[in-house]
Amino acid sequence: MKIVVTGGAGVVGSKVVEILARQGHQVTSASQRTGVDVITGQGLEEALVGADVVIDVVNPPTYDEATALRFFETSSRNILAAAAATEVRHYVALSIVGSERLPESGYFRAKLAQEAQIKAASVPYTIVRSTQFFEFLDAVVEDGARGDEIRLPPARVQFIAAHDAAGALADIADRTPANGTLEVAGPDPFRLDDLARLYLAARGDARRVTADPDARYFGALLDDQTLIAGAVPRFGHTEFDSWLRTRTGR
C-alpha cells in the first residue's frame, strides 16, 4: 500500500514513517525537507499521485490562535484538495482528545476547525484524537513556570508516548475509513501536577510543583474530564516509568 505522511519529518510523523516502512508499506514522507509545502501546495499533488492513504500530522510553527487557525485551514484545504484530485481512498488526521472541551484555548479551537473541514470534504476519513504526548511535558512545565515554581492544575490526564500514537495512526491507516472519530490514550491516568513532579525529579530539576485548581493549561481551565479519553479508546502500551527510563537513563 502506498501511504503519504504529511508532516513526516516531525515528532509523530517520523515515527509513523518508520513504523509503516517496517511493515512493508510504500511510504513517503511529505514535508518541506522533501519539497512539499502544505501551505503553498507546492509538490503536494505530485506527492499524492498513486497514494492509497494520506496521514496528516502537520502542525503550525506556533500555537497562538491566529497562526494555528490560518495554518490548519490552509493546510487541510490543500491536502484535502490534492487527495480528492488524486483519488486517495483514506484521509487519516491526527487531532487531540478534549478539543471540544477547551473552548478557551485558541489552539484547540483551531483543531476543531480543522476537524470540521475534514468532515465536510468528499474524501473518506478517520480523525484520530490522541491524548497529550509525554514528549510535550517540557512545554507543559514551562507554560506553568513562575520563577522556581511550577503551578499546574491537579486535573486527571492520560498522556501517551508519541510512538504509541504513531502506531495507532499506522494501524488505522490500513483499515476501512471510519468517517468519524476514534480516540487513543495512554495506559495510566495521572494528576497533571504529579506527572510533572515525577518528570522533573527524573531530570534532576529542583523546581517546586504546586497544585493549583485555578492554574491555566495553555490559557484554559481543566477539570478531571477535560483531557481524558471517552469510554472506548485504544490504549497505548508504554507506561510513563518506561518512557522516562528511555529519556533519562534512570
Side-chain angles (χ1 to χ4, degrees):
M1 181 181 293
K2 181 177 179 180
I3 302 175
V4 176
V5 182
T6 57
V11 172
V12 177
S14 59
K15 293 176 173 59
V16 174
V17 169
E18 178 186 341
I19 292 168
L20 290 170
R22 195 164 58 241
Q23 292 174 345
H25 294 289
Q26 180 186 350
V27 57
T28 299
S29 173
S31 68
Q32 289 185 328
R33 296 183 189 177
T34 58
V36 177
D37 191 321
V38 297
I39 299 301
T40 66
Q42 179 183 351
L44 188 53
E45 191 166 321
E46 293 84 351
L48 294 185
V49 170
D52 301 289
V53 180
V54 59
I55 301 177
D56 179 4
V57 292
V58 297
N59 224 3
T62 62
Y63 290 161
D64 67 277
E65 181 175 9
T67 300
L69 183 60
R70 185 166 56 249
F71 179 91
F72 284 128
E73 286 183 341
T74 304
S75 64
S76 297
R77 181 174 62 248
N78 288 340
I79 299 168
L80 285 163
T86 55
E87 300 183 338
V88 167
R89 300 201 307 265
H90 192 182
Y91 184 106
V92 180
L94 178 64
S95 192
I96 307 172
V97 164
S99 293
E100 79 285 7
R101 296 189 290 270
L102 281 168
E104 297 170 286
S105 166
Y107 180 77
F108 281 76
R109 287 197 297 271
K111 289 300 290 184
L112 284 178
Q114 180 194 28
E115 290 187 13
Q117 201 164 7
I118 294 166
K119 292 173 184 177
S122 62
V123 182
Y125 71 92
T126 304
I127 294 170
V128 182
R129 284 187 170 185
S130 172
T131 53
Q132 301 291 326
F133 304 138
F134 291 139
E135 287 82 353
F136 195 51
L137 277 168
D138 275 332
V140 171
V141 165
E142 297 311 322
D143 185 65
R146 303 294 181 270
D148 289 335
E149 183 182 28
I150 314 296
R151 303 191 73 85
L152 294 172
R156 288 197 314 156
V157 293
Q158 217 166 350
F159 278 47
I160 187 171
H163 187 271
D164 288 353
L169 288 165
D171 178 64
I172 289 165
D174 201 22
R175 296 172 181 262
T176 302
N179 290 318
T181 302
L182 306 177
E183 291 187 332
V184 59
D188 302 308
F190 285 88
R191 297 288 178 182
L192 183 58
D193 57 312
D194 288 338
L195 192 65
R197 286 189 192 93
L198 292 169
Y199 180 63
L200 292 179
R203 296 176 56 197
D205 189 326
R207 285 180 293 176
R208 181 175 77 257
V209 177
T210 299
D212 180 359
D214 295 321
R216 299 274 172 158
Y217 180 84
F218 297 96
L221 288 171
L222 299 185
D223 61 33
D224 277 351
Q225 302 306 317
T226 310
L227 297 180
I228 294 291
V232 287
R234 169 176 174 154
F235 289 104
H237 66 274
T238 305
E239 296 180 340
F240 182 57
D241 286 348
S242 175
W243 178 85
L244 264 182
R245 285 194 295 272
T246 66
R247 301 282 289 196
T248 64
R250 299 184 181 187

